[in-house]
Amino acid sequence: MPNDQLQSERKNHRTGMACALGCMLLWGVMPIYWKALVPIDSYVIILYRIVLVGVVCFAAAMKVYGAVRLKDTFKNKRTVLLLFIAGLIITANWSTYIYAINSGQAIATCIGYYIDPLVVCIFGMVFFKERPTKYKLVSIVFACAGVLVVVVHFMKLPMIALTLALTFATYTALKKHLHVEAVVSLFFETVFLTPFALGAIVYLEASGRGAIAAAGPQQFALLLLAGLLTATPLTLFAIAANRISMISLGILEYIAPSITLLIGIFLFKEEFDLVQLAAFVVIWIGLVFFTCGEIHEKE
């Protein structure tokens, strides 16, 4: 391999790793940001997030790709429909996530994002007829066992964790059919919801039930960063996905929920008993099998 090409590949790999780490670190500490917005109601935060993400992604898409790219995407009705559905699903995911963080259930979100790659595997087997390896089957069994531990202990389904895992896995499956740039995709995922969200914001603010009435000037200023803080890690993720292997990216994805878990325990002081620890250990064992399987497949 020519030296210039080798250096270029190494540079791309370093860039990809840096972007992946930056993305996971941002996602990991993001609960601190959402928590800082309390006492603004979660549904108000979600409405602002929809509008601000749309604005940020429109500006970024126009600067990087231009109006022609947006028009070309809009002409493909199937793509637009899938992006609209993806927007509904990822909005449900983010809404559940923000509600969980601000209601003192950050640890529950970690379970969801730990088992998400395993749910993606199940979707791959069911909807895309992918053949599971023995490693993936074992990892799925351990993930189910971890959820079962929580169910038996609390006598109820971990709805937040399951909702996060199922919605993000569904979102991932939909994106498998789409080949649209990250900021363009995110713009179309929010643009159809933006008029409704903006109307709701105007109504809530006019009736004294919005962010302005609930928050101080500093918190409102923080709220206005929601679009940028949502779009930035997603863009970093897209850059990383094009420069490093899926194995590397998949392993690095465990960083974000691990950071959130530590924040939930030590900063937010959420309850974390031995049964919950046992559930996490069982799921982690499943993730080890999953990672080993991914590495084995690529050898």
Side-chain angles (χ1 to χ4, degrees):
M1 182 181 293
N3 189 49
D4 290 345
Q5 185 178 351
L6 184 61
Q7 288 183 348
S8 178
E9 286 189 3
R10 286 176 177 173
K11 183 179 179 181
N12 277 336
H13 181 76
R14 287 196 297 269
T15 301
M17 290 296 290
C19 288
L21 285 170
C23 168
M24 300 311 160
L25 288 172
L26 280 173
W27 274 340
V29 301
M30 197 70 81
I32 298 173
Y33 168 73
W34 299 119
K35 199 80 166 179
L37 297 179
V38 176
I40 304 174
D41 286 327
S42 295
Y43 67 90
V44 176
I45 296 172
I46 292 158
L47 292 170
Y48 269 92
R49 178 194 163 276
I50 292 170
V51 174
L52 293 170
V53 167
V55 170
V56 169
C57 289
F58 175 73
M62 286 292 289
K63 182 173 180 60
V64 177
Y65 302 106
V68 174
R69 181 69 184 92
L70 295 180
K71 290 179 181 177
D72 288 343
T73 303
F74 194 76
K75 289 176 183 177
N76 190 323
K77 292 182 180 180
R78 179 180 177 277
T79 298
V80 171
L81 177 61
L82 288 176
L83 287 171
F84 171 68
I85 296 171
L88 292 177
I89 293 169
I90 200 61
T91 298
N93 179 273
W94 273 93
S95 300
T96 303
Y97 174 74
I98 293 171
Y99 164 77
I101 295 297
N102 288 354
S103 62
Q105 301 179 77
I107 292 174
T109 69
C110 301
I111 298 178
Y113 288 122
Y114 275 133
I115 65 176
D116 168 65
L118 308 179
V119 177
V120 171
C121 286
I122 295 173
F123 279 19
M125 291 185 290
V126 174
F127 299 113
F128 300 102
K129 308 301 180 184
E130 295 177 359
R131 295 181 62 184
T133 64
K134 60 183 178 181
Y135 295 97
K136 288 182 179 179
L137 288 174
V138 171
S139 67
I140 290 168
V141 169
F142 272 102
C144 292
V147 173
L148 186 62
V149 168
V150 176
V151 171
V152 171
H153 179 60
F154 293 104
M155 296 303 294
K156 64 179 182 180
L157 287 170
M159 292 307 299
I160 286 175
L162 291 177
T163 299
L164 289 172
L166 289 170
T167 51
F168 202 77
T170 304
Y171 179 74
T172 302
L174 274 174
K175 297 286 272 189
K176 186 179 177 71
H177 293 286
L178 294 166
H179 302 283
V180 182
E181 297 83 355
V183 291
V184 176
S185 176
L186 200 55
F187 167 69
F188 278 97
E189 288 167 24
T190 55
V191 68
F192 299 107
L193 299 174
T194 297
F196 302 100
L198 186 59
I201 288 171
V202 171
Y203 171 76
L204 289 169
E205 296 297 354
S207 60
R209 291 180 291 165
I212 295 174
Q218 291 181 331
Q219 281 181 310
F220 189 75
L222 276 177
L223 177 60
L224 296 180
L225 295 174
L228 184 63
L229 290 177
T230 299
T232 299
L234 283 170
T235 302
L236 290 173
F237 185 84
I239 293 170
N242 290 328
R243 286 170 171 78
I244 63 176
S245 70
M246 294 307 293
I247 293 174
S248 299
L249 192 59
I251 294 171
L252 290 171
E253 280 188 45
Y254 303 146
I255 292 174
S258 298
I259 294 173
T260 299
L261 176 62
L262 294 175
I263 289 172
I265 296 171
F266 296 107
L267 184 61
F268 297 163
K269 306 296 182 183
E270 293 184 12
E271 183 181 352
F272 189 67
D273 58 29
L274 289 176
V275 176
Q276 288 172 300
L277 176 60
F280 270 98
V281 168
V282 172
I283 292 170
W284 283 328
I285 292 171
L287 290 174
V288 170
F289 276 98
F290 177 81
T291 303
C292 290
E294 290 294 288
I295 294 172
H296 184 264
E297 281 185 19
K298 298 299 180 181
E299 288 179 347

